[in-house]
Amino acid sequence: MSDELQRIMAIDDPYLLLREVTTRLAAAQQEVTELARLRRRVVQDLHAQGMSYAQIAEKAGLSRGRIHQIRHTGPAPEGAFLGTGSVTVVTPLRWDDAKKRPVVAMADMNSGKRLEELAKSYGLDVSSGHVQVSGEVDLNRDGLVVVCGPGMSQAMRDLYAQDPVLVWEHPEGEPWALVDRRTGTAYHAGADLEPSRPHDVGYLGRLPRPDGNGSVLAIAGIHTAGSLGVVHLLTSDLSTLWGQVGERHFSTLASVEYDPETEEPQSAELLCPLYLHDEETTA
């Protein structure tokens, strides 16, 4: 029996006991989920390296059937792309002059809800939050997935500035653009060009938290359709993305074609490589 369990069992106050047991159960369930994810990931990695299930079973002291079961059940390893244990999906608030209150744009709301559903499908606990109208947001929290561009928040602008390859640029009097420092290519949204077309550019990256104690998964489009397109890319191809970047810091851009009436993405594909930041800074 662990010291923590003994401590809880010794509580006399029934209300405090109920609260402590509930909190501990939630933490234990998260831990079990992440251990199961890690176990499946180890088996998956060993099998990908060429080992048979029988060989893995023999080395691990388990049955072949058990190894096969582990490989195909439980939370998938790629869920760790979004976070471990729990994630908080953050979307920006915008001031609505007509309603005289902060609101969330429909595309941002859809992005947030779809990210929440995606995280839940991988066994992650999910909560939500907002970037304030002022741009304030606490980025020094575990498991953050933030849908917000640099134009709405100085904190997010500072976060994006850490990217060694992809840069948000906003020349005075000009629309936003995303620039690939590696190639010198500047990417613009189709709505900002003449003739205009229903096309946007989305950013996806995992960047260091301001306090250096973790990472933030950042998503943004030049316009809101771009971020919705990035979410579409995640929901359709998370396994491939996870296989290439794991939990490392990275960034990439997506080309998004969308329905001009609804902003729903019709297609989303990578515009540039998945840049691994540790390789860029040592190159």
Side-chain angles (χ1 to χ4, degrees):
M1 186 180 298
S2 69
D3 291 343
E4 178 67 3
L5 182 55
Q6 291 185 37
R7 180 191 70 80
I8 292 173
M9 292 179 67
I11 296 173
D12 292 328
D13 183 332
Y15 303 106
L16 177 58
L17 176 60
L18 181 59
R19 186 166 64 248
E20 288 286 324
V21 169
T22 302
T23 300
R24 179 58 185 151
L25 273 173
Q29 287 166 355
Q30 280 190 5
E31 187 173 327
V32 167
T33 297
E34 291 309 316
L35 286 172
R37 192 189 314 278
L38 179 59
R39 182 176 62 175
R40 181 174 174 181
R41 175 181 172 183
V42 171
V43 171
Q44 184 172 299
D45 289 348
L46 289 171
H47 190 59
Q49 291 168 19
M51 293 186 70
S52 68
Y53 292 137
Q55 290 172 321
I56 298 170
E58 181 181 357
K59 292 282 189 181
L62 299 170
S63 70
R64 183 186 182 282
R66 184 65 175 135
I67 293 298
H68 189 273
Q69 181 186 41
I70 290 170
R71 170 63 181 84
H72 293 94
T73 60
E78 57 264 29
F81 184 96
L82 301 170
T84 57
S86 62
V87 300
T88 301
V89 178
V90 176
T91 50
L93 292 173
R94 305 164 189 262
W95 183 256
D96 188 307
D97 286 328
K99 296 180 179 179
K100 304 299 181 183
R101 62 179 176 84
V103 299
V104 179
M106 182 59 69
D108 289 334
M109 182 182 297
N110 288 336
S111 291
K113 292 300 181 185
R114 290 170 195 180
L115 285 168
E116 291 177 23
E117 291 168 4
L118 180 63
K120 289 176 182 176
S121 74
Y122 285 100
L124 296 163
D125 288 341
V126 181
S127 59
S128 61
H130 296 295
V131 178
Q132 299 304 307
V133 174
S134 64
E136 293 180 23
V137 58
D138 179 10
L139 298 176
N140 294 323
R141 293 177 282 167
D142 293 335
L144 279 186
V145 182
V146 182
V147 182
C148 182
M152 300 189 67
S153 167
Q154 184 61 50
M156 290 302 296
R157 187 176 301 190
D158 293 341
L159 187 78
Y160 288 119
Q162 299 180 84
D163 192 318
V165 189
L166 302 174
V167 184
W168 290 87
E169 290 192 353
H170 189 209
E172 186 174 354
E174 298 292 329
W176 283 94
L178 277 155
V179 179
D180 185 331
R181 284 174 169 160
R182 175 76 74 82
T183 64
T185 305
Y187 296 98
H188 301 269
D192 299 326
L193 301 176
E194 290 293 342
S196 66
R197 65 188 182 96
H199 169 268
D200 203 1
V201 180
Y203 175 101
L204 170 66
R206 184 180 295 114
L207 303 167
R209 277 170 29 177
D211 65 1
N213 294 324
S215 303
V216 177
L217 189 65
I219 296 169
I222 294 180
H223 300 292
T224 52
S227 55
L228 198 55
V230 170
V231 174
H232 176 76
L233 191 67
L234 289 175
T235 57
S236 61
D237 210 14
L238 188 64
S239 180
T240 300
L241 293 169
W242 162 254
Q244 294 186 58
V245 305
E247 298 173 47
R248 299 161 72 182
H249 292 144
F250 79 97
S251 58
T252 192
L253 300 177
S255 172
V256 182
E257 302 286 345
Y258 61 91
D259 184 320
E261 297 296 324
T262 64
E263 292 194 4
E264 284 294 323
Q266 296 178 325
S267 68
E269 58 185 21
L270 294 183
L271 265 177
C272 67
L274 290 156
Y275 290 120
L276 297 172
H277 293 175
D278 52 0
E279 294 181 359
E280 293 299 320
T281 54
T282 57

